[in-house]
Amino acid sequence: MRADAVIVGGGIIGCATAYEMAKRGKSVVVLEKTMIGHGGSSRNLGGVRQSARDIRELPLAMYSIREIWPNLTEELGVDIEYVQKGGFRLGENEEEHQLLEMYTERSKRLGLEVYLLPGDEARAICPALSPTITWASWCPSDGHANPYLTTLAYYRKARELGARFITGETVTEIRMNRSRVGGVVTEDGTVYEGDNVLVAAGFASRPILDTVGIDIPMKLCINECMVSEKEEALFPQMMATAHGTFFVNQTGHGSFAFDATREIDPWVDKGEEINTPSSMAAETMSEGIRHYFPQMLDAKVVRQWVGYWDVTPDRVPVVDRAEEVPGLYIACGFSGHGFGLAPGAARLMTAWMNGETLPVDVSGLRHDRFECNLH
Amino acid sequence: MKLDRTKPEGTFVTEPDDDLIICRCEEITKGEIRRAIYDGMYTMTELKRFTRAGMGLCQGGTCSLTVRRVLAKELGLPLREIEEDTSRSPARPMEVRKYEHGGDEA
């Protein structure tokens, strides 16, 4: 089979890029090992945020939120439950205050509207915040959306526009055609030919890229979530602690969604799947709730799940075109915060593949930044 | 299992019992589930995430088998080819405070 673009990975990046390419009339095939949105794309909490972003990825977050997110429900024809009512990062001591000040100052220099507020001013915006909060950063254009609906809505629309999706298809190798990319080969030897190949397969991207001599260092880190039954509306904002150890939002459905990292041993050694929630993360989440939002202590949890971060050494993604392998594009290593960036990353990939001017600068997200170099 | 999800020819065809409620907790009808399958939701997990069928209080305990049957019929596959819905903890809705350290004794 031949297509203008062969996309490896049916997560939100793959589905969104397939949509953007199909919208321009390009032929696309998406190859996915398991099912649509099986990895982090569906298991995250749905944060669409700019607060506390690394400055190398902040422009991509700002572009996605300015240009794409607010129109996405209309564009895709599915209510993705996007709520843009701002985001808080919460601090309770001097160390967290300084951290929040550092985040806000450096983000303001890139043009983000974000404020560092004393506790009382933050509570004036959101009365549900605990009295123990002494400082908070406040970004009015932050928000959240439903992650699985967004991923599946991109898939649905791309498919409607003619993009081809094949699941249960494991890509093992990138195939060269003389000095440029020629396509990919799958486990059972099927060849998919294309002049452009995008690898957006999360942690699984590493061995695939390795077949053309590109190594993206990544580790897998377990992260866990739980969700409550439907509750009265309490707050519409995206909430996080200063250090990003605990996240909460109230979904469009009315349930509260919580997210925390296992405090002990969150690293997965060999990429094997562990899908059993631990008592450790649940305990961390419940302690976070007691501490920051004691009103939620009696909310009933209906579901817990486990997800993975594909973490790079500097915890920002690779969003790049491989100059040494013309036609090869990479979007992986999102390190647990890729959902909000995905719509922008997909537009960027599409612009690259079509030889257009890039809509946003991602030069800080190059794949060769991990190579040894002596300064 | 390899699945080519290319959109089939033809438009969505309604059936007389499409307004039958299948997921009682979230009030999802047979027609909504059939429509989601037409739109490409080919696994139990995708169907659940897209429609919310099986995501309510009983977590699919009641409707899961019926949803599987609808999916099998629409895809033209035997029921055994359709994976069972994923069960997740907790078995019954449980207050946040019970997850706290020592919470089971409280």
Side-chain angles (χ1 to χ4, degrees):
Chain A
M1 191 190 298
R2 192 172 174 84
D4 292 326
V6 177
I7 297 175
V8 185
I12 187 167
I13 304 263
C15 293
T17 307
Y19 162 70
E20 296 286 351
M21 288 293 281
K23 202 168 74 173
R24 286 154 199 258
K26 303 288 176 181
S27 60
V28 194
V29 60
V30 180
L31 306 171
E32 162 58 43
K33 181 170 63 173
T34 53
M35 66 175 95
I36 305 300
H38 179 66
S41 304
S42 295
R43 302 185 195 202
N44 73 89
L45 213 61
V48 180
R49 101 190 132 79
Q50 300 149 107
S51 298
R53 289 264 186 200
D54 187 286
I55 51 167
R56 287 167 292 176
E57 64 177 18
L58 182 57
L60 185 56
M62 289 170 66
Y63 165 72
S64 300
I65 290 172
R66 192 178 62 240
E67 302 289 335
I68 310 171
W69 277 104
N71 310 317
L72 212 47
T73 282
E74 193 181 345
E75 195 171 339
L76 300 179
V78 170
D79 181 4
I80 58 160
E81 300 175 1
Y82 178 59
V83 176
Q84 192 177 24
K85 293 284 171 74
F88 283 108
R89 296 287 279 211
L90 311 171
E92 294 192 312
N93 53 44
E94 188 47 32
E95 186 260 330
E96 290 177 344
H97 173 212
Q98 282 178 17
L99 180 65
L100 293 173
E101 188 167 35
M102 184 272 287
Y103 283 145
T104 48
E105 287 311 312
R106 76 180 187 192
S107 304
K108 278 182 193 167
R109 283 197 290 275
L110 287 181
L112 180 67
E113 188 192 356
V114 59
Y115 307 93
L116 184 60
L117 305 177
D120 288 340
E121 287 182 37
R123 276 181 291 277
I125 297 169
C126 178
L129 290 178
S130 139
T132 58
I133 289 153
T134 47
W135 290 94
S137 77
W138 164 242
C139 178
S141 55
D142 275 1
H144 52 84
N146 182 317
Y148 34 77
L149 280 180
T150 309
T151 305
L152 292 169
Y154 265 125
Y155 156 65
R156 173 186 168 275
K157 194 72 183 176
R159 179 176 172 270
E160 198 177 290
L161 295 173
R164 198 133 185 225
F165 287 80
I166 300 170
T167 51
E169 190 70 298
T170 306
V171 171
T172 52
E173 197 185 313
I174 295 165
R175 179 160 286 192
M176 300 294 286
N177 180 6
R178 294 202 175 85
S179 59
R180 60 167 294 123
V181 146
V184 303
V185 187
T186 68
E187 215 165 37
D188 64 7
T190 312
V191 178
Y192 294 87
E193 293 181 328
D195 293 334
N196 298 291
V197 169
L198 165 63
V199 178
F203 186 73
S205 304
R206 191 174 186 178
I208 298 168
L209 291 165
D210 196 41
T211 61
V212 286
I214 291 174
D215 186 38
I216 313 273
M218 283 184 273
K219 278 179 140 185
L220 269 189
C221 177
I222 296 183
N223 205 258
E224 298 190 32
C225 296
M226 57 190 200
V227 67
S228 78
E229 30 174 37
K230 195 184 258 188
E231 297 281 338
E232 293 289 307
L234 187 60
F235 55 80
Q237 294 91 358
M238 186 73 210
M239 302 286 184
T241 55
H243 285 280
T245 46
F246 172 60
F247 291 82
V248 189
N249 67 59
Q250 189 166 16
T251 70
H253 169 258
S255 48
F256 292 114
F258 313 102
D259 172 323
T261 312
R262 287 183 189 192
E263 285 176 342
I264 302 163
D265 196 23
W267 299 98
V268 180
D269 289 335
K270 297 189 180 74
E272 79 270 32
E273 285 226 358
I274 298 172
N275 285 318
T276 314
S278 69
S279 57
M280 280 183 281
E283 203 174 302
T284 308
M285 285 183 263
S286 57
E287 280 173 18
I289 292 161
R290 173 172 290 280
H291 200 86
Y292 291 96
F293 301 100
Q295 318 82 315
M296 296 182 200
L297 275 171
D298 287 315
K300 282 186 176 167
V301 175
V302 292
R303 208 160 58 244
Q304 291 177 268
W305 68 92
V306 173
Y308 302 90
W309 294 347
D310 47 347
V311 183
T312 61
D314 55 9
R315 291 184 177 253
V316 294
V318 170
V319 179
D320 198 10
R321 164 171 65 167
E323 276 158 12
E324 66 273 47
V325 185
L328 178 62
Y329 303 85
I330 307 167
C332 66
F334 281 80
S335 307
H337 37 86
F339 175 68
L341 304 177
R347 287 246 179 120
L348 186 95
M349 289 297 160
T350 305
W352 246 328
M353 289 182 189
N354 291 294
E356 298 161 9
T357 314
L358 298 189
V360 58
D361 175 29
V362 287
S363 51
L365 307 177
R366 289 173 61 97
H367 76 280
D368 56 4
R369 68 182 190 269
F370 306 113
E371 283 173 12
C372 176
N373 70 61
L374 298 169
H375 292 288
Chain B
M1 185 175 48
K2 208 187 272 198
L3 270 181
D4 186 338
R5 291 158 178 254
T6 306
K7 197 167 178 280
E9 296 292 320
T11 51
F12 177 69
V13 182
T14 55
E15 287 181 1
D17 59 351
D18 270 354
D19 55 357
L20 196 72
I21 287 181
I22 288 189
C23 168
R24 293 190 292 201
C25 300
E26 297 290 318
E27 297 183 353
I28 311 297
T29 64
K30 184 184 170 201
E32 287 172 287
I33 290 165
R34 290 186 58 248
R35 177 84 216 191
I37 299 165
Y38 173 82
D39 278 338
M41 309 307 148
Y42 283 5
T43 65
M44 288 295 286
T45 302
E46 289 161 18
L47 259 186
K48 175 160 85 174
R49 287 171 174 167
F50 195 73
T51 64
R52 289 201 61 85
M55 269 201 192
L57 263 189
C58 88
Q59 290 288 298
T62 312
C63 68
S64 172
L65 181 60
T66 319
V67 177
R68 278 178 71 211
R69 285 203 177 113
V70 174
L71 181 56
K73 180 161 179 270
E74 295 294 318
L75 294 182
L77 291 169
L79 186 64
R80 64 174 184 279
E81 296 280 326
I82 307 293
E83 88 283 9
E84 283 188 27
D85 193 18
T86 315
S87 303
R88 297 190 184 281
S89 59
R92 287 206 179 86
M94 191 163 94
E95 290 88 354
V96 168
R97 61 170 78 243
K98 291 195 176 151
Y99 284 90
E100 286 184 295
H101 187 65
D104 51 348
E105 292 140 36

